[in-house]
Amino acid sequence: MKLFRRLIESRFWVLSVKEISQILRNKQLIFLLVFPPTIQLLIFGLALNPDVQHLKLGVTDYSNTPMSRELISALTANEVFEVKSVTLDEHALGEQVRRGQITAGLVIPPNFNRLLKSDQPAEVQVLIDAVDANTAGIANGYMSQIINQFGRQFMPNVVPPIQTQATILYNPGLVSSWFIVPGVIGLVLNLGSSLVSTAAVVREKDTGTLEQLLMTPAAAWEIILAKVVPLFVLLLGEVILALSVATFIFQVPFRGNIFLYLFFAGLYACVGIGIGFLLATVCRTQQQAILTSFFINLPLIQLSGAIAPVESMPKFFQIFSLANPLRHFVTISRGVLLKGNGLDVLYPEALALFAFAIVLLTISTNKFRTQLS
Amino acid sequence: MSQSATTYSQNPIHPSSFIPHPSNCVLHVHDLHKHYGRVAAVRGIDFTVQQGEIFGLIGPDGAGKTTTFHILGGVLEATAGEVQVLGQPARDARLKIGYLTQQFSLYLDLSLDENLRYVAGLREVDAQIFQERRRKYLQLMSLDWFSDRLAGQLSGGMKQKLALCCALVSQPELLLLDEPTTGVDPVSRREFWDVLAALAAEGVTVVVATPYLDEAERCDRVALMYDGQIQEIGTPAELKRNLGLHRLEVHTPDLASAERILTSAPSTHLIDTQTFGDRLDVLVSDPQAGEAQVKQLFAQHNLDLSALESAEPTLENVFVTRLRQQGSAPGFFEFPRARGGQRRATDQIAIYANKLDRRFGEFQAVKNVNIEIRYGEIFGLLGANGAGKTTTIKMLCGLLPASAGDISLGGERGNLRTSELRRRIGYMSQKFTLYDDLTILQNLEFYSGVYGVPRKLRREKIDWVIATCGLEGQENMLTGQLPGGWKQRVAFGSSVMHEPDILFLDEPTSGVDPLARRQFWRLINDFARNGTAILVTTHYLEEAEQCNRMSFMVAGETVLEGSPSQIKAAQPGQLLEVVVTASERHEPNPTQAASNVLKQQMEPWRVSIFADRLHVAINDPAEIDAVRSRLQAAHLTISSIRPIPYSLEDAFIGVVQRTQVKP
């Protein structure tokens, strides 16, 4: 009770009350913390699908036998490929690839059936449009795999030296949104925390009240902390909203401890707020701050592994991304949600986030006083 | 705007008073109303403005002037009533209107030329015509040397002149100017009004609001607005005549006691007493009887009467008297002092600066400034826009590091940024010191809390601010909705609630109406009496008379320092007051005409218009004959010409201009 009274009497309390009143009056801010995250989650989760399906396939089947038709139906069976055109002219097929009408072309030679029947290796020609390198690679992989499997039935005696028995863990259905959504939660939290905190400081600078605030006896840390606390609560609300979208709409499993998750999210919110404050103290106007935040946030997101896995980046960027706090949070987010990891596994990431939060908030507090000159 | 006719017919009060405007009527306003929700900002105003007229709108803060301008400019829809600009609804006539608001409506990151070109492009001014006008107006405003400079680097007065230039590029027939000279220094203000007079002479019609009543004297006609209605309308002379009073100028060394005695004296002749600069204006119903009474009162209280002169009332007298008659004079409430008026020894120095320098890159904003202010002293820092006053204040209170020099604040030398020290300092910056998105009460609670006013005292202090500002019952209004002058009052209140030992006030009265300004200074004096050291800047030189000491800054340097009387005594040459009246040759504005005539032969700074008269600075008393003959040669009738002592404003104009003219 005594502690409570001291809190009520303190300058920190007065500063916080002011921040909260300003936030409550700012309908736009509340809107920004609710709608864009939801929409980002939906768009990234639904539209950003790395699976390759319904690739357009062109076929030139000179053989035109049940055997060749069987190969074609093997390719189209799991909907990876879809036959778009059938011609009897391989030049026309090449032309279709060139025009982008089909992604892959398959040429089956006239002697295809005969060669297979006589246990000789048959050759088919595959043309792949590799303008989209990623798709092309995957199409090539599927194509070789399916054709090899198809071929194996003609050599029942040959046993491959190694057989794989893969068990798919954590995401048995291989639902790609399970991978994307926990990462995008990090992305949303990052954008929300840095933008909102930048606005909170730059607005004071724009309207000139900052000067007045700096002349009051309030210490920089009090001013900063009073700005952090209400934002922190708001951002945790944003995280809970994002988690609800993840579990109810995308059915992402929640295998870990929700409080642990919120703890990490809070830690990352502090990092984001630190980034925002630092931006705000360096920039003179709102416009500058927003443009600079794009410059910082986009690389942070791209190097975080939220959308594309870190492992597929060049070695240099993989190491470089260790300096990206968002990368650590994305790892944590996936670990807690999908794998049910606890602190025993995630402590290196947690320590990294701690370090980031402390460094960023300390620098911005120190910069805060001197920013007018 | 097609419903303007229908709204008109809905009004049953004046069904037949609508007169189709004559051909030279530029603006016609009929029974104009504007409501914001349930609040009525404008409650039925009527007026017409003829071509080439300068029409002034004066009134206290929150009288509805800005709302009226918004409607005239076609920016805001009227709730009821009719506005016709050149025979069209205001919104349709926007291309013929030039509109200038209180805030500088310029792109600060564009150069002067780019700003002009942008406006011209927007208003589709032909390139060749634009070049002509650009040359003409830049020359008229004496801005032609600066065409490459960024607008953001111009001083306040130059910015307003540039904004006027921008408004003129499309050659509007009607100029709407909402307090264009707020925050502009006395020299630039006069230049600005000289330009307006020149424009009006060319047939441009001007409607202007101003809190400076000496400017309002230069209008052809003036409307006194109060509480959303026009109380009185007429030429300045008519308004003064209607007041039916005479003015006695009373000079005495002890203004404060004299004012107290004259105000409280039960008398039928003394109607009103107002401090104005270094004199008292006593308004009396009968000059002889009043004079006798003043003399008698002075003798009775053993007061020294240095001079007593009978004169015509000024527009400011009209304004103050009329509003006091309305009962709208802000009251004075004793500040609830927790420390019981603990006075500090006044020989201690509160603010000290020695050889202060500040450079921004190549530009030296402050050069070698020395300041010493004791507790209980009011120190005025005066200077033109861009002279370095605000930079100096920011250095003194530790917001900006000095490039060189020593500062001591409240006994602290090294670190000016400790929480302990800041608790003893009050600071009111030039603009927007309140949170617009908080209510008035929330703002006051915030500032009292953050300055550590004990919780049980907060209520009392907040009530004091609200009572002083006359805002009882409106505490929960958003601060952003307050008119500018009221915001200044609340800002002042919020900067003194913690009873500071040292108070920095950067243009506290900018844009505040004359009555509220008097209240401000009463409070400032009250704080000084209780031991607060006060550093204040202002562009109202007549209120600067209330400073104990002051210094004039020009281009970052202190050029003159001393008490008001020392500064006035230090002025060289002789000052003449010239009053001219229109002669048989009809001259609508003889004072302006006389100023133009004299400026052709003298250095322009020597001639300044003060309300309805001219002040002319001459080097040698013998030049008086030359002045007289020049005016007579121009067929102007001189009704009086006499040597007068320098006022602070004359001193300011002289000092600033002489220093700037120097190479």
Side-chain angles (χ1 to χ4, degrees):
Chain A
M1 197 58 207
K2 205 176 165 197
L3 203 69
F4 179 69
R5 186 162 304 153
R6 272 185 58 190
L7 175 71
I8 293 270
E9 283 286 334
S10 72
R11 217 161 14 233
F12 169 71
W13 178 259
V14 176
L15 286 161
S16 309
V17 167
K18 173 216 134 205
E19 293 294 335
I20 293 168
S21 327
Q22 283 187 302
I23 287 172
L24 289 183
R25 191 149 283 125
N26 195 344
K27 303 266 186 314
Q28 219 178 349
L29 180 75
I30 310 280
F31 176 86
L32 280 177
L33 282 178
V34 172
F35 280 88
T38 317
I39 289 172
Q40 274 165 345
L41 272 174
L42 289 177
I43 290 179
F44 278 110
L46 293 174
L48 201 73
N49 193 343
D51 298 350
V52 173
Q53 274 179 320
H54 306 292
L55 290 176
K56 285 170 279 187
L57 180 70
V59 177
T60 303
D61 185 1
Y62 291 124
S63 164
N64 200 15
T65 51
M67 190 70 86
S68 68
R69 284 194 291 272
E70 212 170 300
L71 173 63
I72 295 166
S73 63
L75 283 172
T76 52
N78 52 6
E79 295 187 351
V80 172
F81 294 102
E82 223 170 70
V83 176
K84 270 279 157 199
S85 78
V86 178
T87 76
L88 274 178
D89 176 1
E90 48 183 299
H91 292 291
L93 192 73
E95 184 63 15
Q96 282 174 348
V97 173
R98 196 180 72 80
R99 287 168 185 259
Q101 288 161 341
I102 55 174
T103 315
L106 175 69
V107 185
I108 305 177
N111 54 359
F112 179 71
N113 192 28
R114 193 159 38 83
L115 286 173
L116 284 178
K117 286 271 164 72
S118 55
D119 281 348
Q120 286 178 38
E123 284 182 342
V124 294
Q125 190 187 10
V126 176
L127 308 166
I128 295 177
D129 174 3
V131 168
D132 179 350
N134 187 38
T135 309
I138 293 169
N140 187 26
Y142 275 132
M143 192 76 94
S144 325
Q145 211 182 341
I146 295 168
I147 294 177
N148 280 342
Q149 216 136 44
F150 182 80
R152 219 168 281 149
Q153 59 182 296
F154 301 99
M155 294 171 280
N157 311 330
V158 185
V159 179
I162 301 169
Q163 289 204 335
T164 44
Q165 278 295 329
T167 310
I168 315 266
L169 292 173
Y170 309 122
N171 190 355
L174 293 175
V175 187
S176 59
S177 65
W178 286 18
F179 170 79
I180 297 284
V181 168
V184 175
I185 294 180
L187 179 156
V188 160
L189 179 61
N190 178 69
L191 282 178
S193 56
S194 62
L195 287 178
V196 167
S197 55
T198 307
V201 176
V202 173
R203 192 184 48 207
E204 296 236 18
K205 212 187 276 197
D206 271 358
T207 55
T209 43
L210 185 66
E211 204 177 296
Q212 198 74 28
L213 197 58
L214 289 178
M215 275 314 289
T216 68
W221 69 265
E222 285 176 313
I223 297 175
I224 296 262
L225 196 64
K227 284 188 183 293
V228 168
V229 170
L231 290 183
F232 183 82
V233 174
L234 275 182
L235 290 168
L236 283 191
E238 192 191 24
V239 169
I240 290 173
L241 176 77
L243 281 179
S244 318
V245 172
T247 41
F248 294 120
I249 295 182
F250 292 104
Q251 311 284 329
V252 175
F254 203 127
R255 300 208 170 94
N257 184 328
I258 181 158
F259 294 106
L260 185 69
Y261 192 89
L262 287 180
F263 165 76
F264 282 125
L267 201 56
Y268 192 75
C270 290
V271 173
I273 291 171
I275 295 175
F277 281 166
L278 202 57
L279 268 177
T281 47
V282 175
C283 300
R284 291 191 177 273
T285 61
Q286 191 112 28
Q287 193 188 20
Q288 254 183 35
I290 288 174
L291 291 176
T292 319
S293 91
F294 269 109
F295 177 69
I296 295 198
N297 279 329
L298 285 181
L300 276 189
I301 290 166
Q302 281 151 356
L303 289 182
S304 69
I307 295 161
V310 175
E311 290 71 22
S312 59
M313 295 174 196
K315 195 78 191 154
F316 169 75
F317 284 104
Q318 288 192 31
I319 295 167
F320 188 65
S321 73
L322 287 175
N324 177 359
L326 188 53
R327 178 207 157 139
H328 300 293
F329 181 70
V330 167
T331 309
I332 290 173
S333 181
R334 287 191 184 126
V336 177
L337 282 178
L338 300 180
K339 296 181 174 177
N341 285 348
L343 257 185
D344 52 330
V345 178
L346 295 172
Y347 72 91
E349 280 79 14
L351 284 180
L353 285 191
F354 250 121
F356 277 116
I358 288 169
V359 167
L360 284 168
L361 285 175
T362 312
I363 297 178
S364 47
T365 310
N366 283 337
K367 277 233 155 216
F368 193 73
R369 272 287 169 209
T370 52
Q371 60 181 313
L372 276 189
S373 38
Chain B
M1 286 298 284
S2 59
Q3 85 272 30
S4 58
T6 41
T7 20
Y8 165 67
S9 62
Q10 277 164 4
N11 188 328
I13 305 170
H14 310 281
S16 59
S17 63
F18 178 69
I19 303 150
H21 37 266
S23 57
N24 61 346
C25 165
V26 172
L27 177 63
H28 178 88
V29 177
H30 179 69
D31 197 36
L32 188 69
H33 286 264
K34 177 69 197 178
H35 298 260
Y36 295 105
R38 272 179 300 156
V39 185
V42 175
R43 305 188 299 154
I45 58 173
D46 297 82
F47 61 89
T48 50
V49 182
Q50 308 296 318
Q51 197 199 350
E53 232 188 337
I54 302 184
F55 186 83
L57 217 48
I58 58 175
D61 305 322
K65 291 170 291 179
T66 297
T67 303
T68 307
F69 272 102
H70 282 327
I71 297 172
L72 298 188
V75 186
L76 202 68
E77 197 85 28
T79 309
E82 190 186 24
V83 174
Q84 293 248 310
V85 177
L86 298 152
Q88 283 175 300
R91 184 155 293 191
D92 301 341
R94 268 184 298 179
L95 271 181
K96 298 173 188 162
I97 299 175
Y99 190 11
L100 193 56
T101 53
Q102 277 173 49
Q103 284 88 34
F104 309 121
S105 29
L106 295 170
Y107 292 92
L108 298 184
D109 43 3
L110 292 185
S111 78
L112 212 140
D113 252 345
E114 286 163 340
N115 265 294
L116 283 174
R117 218 172 300 133
Y118 169 73
V119 176
L122 209 61
R123 302 222 156 191
E124 294 174 342
V125 179
D126 180 80
Q128 203 181 340
I129 296 175
F130 165 67
Q131 283 307 329
E132 273 168 38
R133 290 184 191 158
R134 175 187 161 274
R135 206 172 317 120
K136 171 181 162 189
Y137 291 125
L138 285 183
Q139 221 156 36
L140 191 63
M141 321 260 177
S142 0
L143 286 173
D144 38 352
W145 290 0
F146 306 102
S147 57
D148 294 335
R149 203 177 291 182
L150 289 189
Q153 295 169 346
L154 297 174
S155 73
M158 283 157 101
K159 274 184 202 152
Q160 277 308 51
K161 284 199 277 185
L162 173 58
L164 182 61
C165 253
C166 287
L168 287 169
V169 154
S170 60
Q171 198 114 42
E173 293 171 60
L174 173 64
L175 267 181
L176 300 174
L177 311 172
D178 187 8
E179 302 201 358
T181 53
T182 291
V184 173
D185 68 70
V187 178
S188 308
R189 277 200 301 127
R190 288 193 164 74
E191 288 170 357
F192 190 89
W193 274 85
D194 287 341
V195 172
L196 285 192
L199 289 173
E202 284 180 18
V204 179
T205 311
V206 182
V207 179
V208 55
T210 176
Y212 294 90
L213 291 167
D214 62 325
E215 290 182 348
E217 302 252 13
R218 296 175 74 168
C219 296
D220 297 308
R221 279 188 310 139
V222 173
L224 173 60
M225 239 182 129
Y226 172 70
D227 204 12
Q229 289 178 313
I230 290 181
Q231 299 294 320
E232 216 178 342
I233 198 162
T235 63
E238 281 166 1
L239 258 61
K240 292 183 231 175
R241 209 177 308 129
N242 292 347
L243 191 63
L245 297 174
H246 299 266
R247 177 169 68 108
L248 298 179
E249 271 185 20
V250 178
H251 290 265
T252 169
D254 191 0
L255 277 181
S257 357
E259 186 183 6
R260 206 173 48 246
I261 289 159
L262 291 176
T263 312
S264 56
S267 164
T268 46
H269 299 296
L270 309 185
I271 308 297
D272 203 2
T273 307
Q274 301 160 11
T275 312
F276 193 87
D278 56 351
R279 61 162 206 262
L280 285 178
D281 276 2
V282 183
L283 296 182
V284 296
S285 46
D286 178 77
Q288 276 83 36
E291 207 171 312
Q293 187 134 35
V294 169
K295 279 182 179 156
Q296 186 217 328
L297 279 166
F298 267 68
Q300 207 178 325
H301 292 87
N302 286 324
L303 278 174
D304 196 9
L305 182 63
S306 339
L308 185 104
E309 282 166 41
S310 176
E312 282 299 298
T314 63
L315 211 49
E316 177 139 357
N317 296 139
V318 174
F319 183 94
V320 173
T321 313
R322 287 291 185 216
L323 290 182
R324 282 190 179 157
Q325 285 168 354
Q326 295 275 359
S328 79
F332 178 79
F333 300 88
E334 197 62 46
F335 180 70
R337 265 167 230 287
R339 299 195 296 210
Q342 216 178 61
R343 291 180 198 203
R344 288 179 167 266
T346 48
D347 56 337
Q348 254 182 311
I349 292 175
I351 305 168
Y352 168 85
N354 185 29
K355 300 207 173 103
L356 212 52
D357 270 326
R358 174 71 208 194
R359 278 178 297 275
F360 295 105
E362 287 290 290
F363 174 64
Q364 182 138 24
V366 172
K367 254 181 268 179
N368 200 18
V369 164
N370 302 314
I371 285 174
E372 264 185 41
I373 306 170
R374 284 156 216 285
Y375 289 105
E377 193 174 33
I378 306 175
F379 185 89
L381 199 56
L382 308 176
N385 297 113
K389 298 174 305 233
T390 299
T391 308
T392 305
I393 290 189
K394 282 189 177 169
M395 283 192 284
L396 290 176
C397 59
L399 280 173
L400 196 69
S403 304
D406 299 324
I407 298 173
S408 141
L409 185 62
E412 288 282 338
R413 266 186 183 279
N415 185 4
L416 302 180
R417 299 238 41 98
T418 64
S419 179
E420 265 320 297
L421 178 59
R422 268 179 282 132
R423 195 195 299 273
R424 295 168 46 210
I425 293 171
Y427 175 70
M428 180 176 168
S429 65
Q430 212 166 21
K431 252 173 203 165
F432 309 116
T433 57
L434 300 169
Y435 291 95
D436 277 353
D437 51 353
L438 295 181
T439 67
I440 296 165
L441 191 63
Q442 280 172 333
N443 263 302
L444 293 173
E445 275 168 352
F446 171 66
Y447 279 112
S448 63
V450 83
Y451 273 105
V453 175
R455 187 158 273 273
K456 48 187 184 294
L457 300 178
R458 279 184 211 166
R459 191 69 249 169
E460 198 185 359
K461 309 233 175 188
I462 290 172
D463 286 345
W464 173 79
V465 177
I466 290 186
T468 301
C469 300
L471 285 170
E472 290 102 335
Q474 300 177 59
E475 296 92 333
N476 292 319
M477 191 169 150
L478 274 190
T479 311
Q481 294 169 352
L482 277 180
W486 291 68
K487 246 191 243 179
Q488 293 288 95
R489 297 184 216 181
V490 180
F492 176 79
S494 59
S495 64
V496 299
M497 278 187 292
H498 61 293
E499 301 174 42
D501 294 336
I502 298 169
L503 189 53
F504 291 96
L505 302 170
D506 197 358
E507 291 188 25
T509 52
S510 161
V512 175
D513 72 56
L515 274 175
R517 264 177 16 230
R518 289 182 160 75
Q519 183 203 28
F520 251 103
W521 277 90
R522 226 178 135 179
L523 293 171
I524 291 172
N525 275 312
D526 186 54
F527 274 94
R529 263 196 304 281
N530 281 282
T532 304
I534 297 167
L535 185 129
V536 58
T537 69
T538 178
H539 287 311
Y540 294 90
L541 273 298
E542 96 269 356
E543 57 181 40
E545 296 266 5
Q546 302 190 43
C547 296
N548 302 104
R549 279 188 315 118
M550 58 183 58
S551 74
F552 282 12
M553 281 182 80
V554 178
E557 282 179 287
T558 307
V559 289
L560 194 59
E561 201 191 319
S563 68
S565 42
Q566 282 170 335
I567 282 181
K568 286 181 272 186
Q571 295 308 305
Q574 177 63 54
L575 193 67
L576 293 181
E577 183 199 72
V578 181
V579 184
V580 288
T581 46
S583 56
E584 62 279 4
R585 196 181 66 130
H586 181 66
E587 182 64 67
N589 196 336
T591 313
Q592 185 68 46
S595 161
N596 295 348
V597 167
L598 291 178
K599 277 185 181 178
Q600 281 167 13
Q601 276 141 1
M602 307 173 81
E603 292 156 276
W605 66 265
R606 291 181 177 275
V607 186
S608 6
I609 296 180
F610 274 70
D612 58 346
R613 49 207 63 203
L614 282 179
H615 286 190
V616 185
I618 52 176
N619 288 328
D620 182 351
E623 286 179 47
I624 190 166
D625 293 326
V627 170
R628 182 178 287 130
S629 59
R630 265 175 224 145
L631 290 173
Q632 279 162 346
H635 307 287
L636 287 154
T637 315
I638 300 167
S639 54
S640 105
I641 184 165
R642 58 178 189 142
I644 54 163
Y646 274 92
S647 74
L648 265 187
E649 189 150 344
D650 295 305
F652 179 91
I653 295 170
V655 167
V656 168
Q657 299 277 44
R658 268 197 304 275
T659 323
Q660 278 171 350
V661 165
K662 258 191 332 204

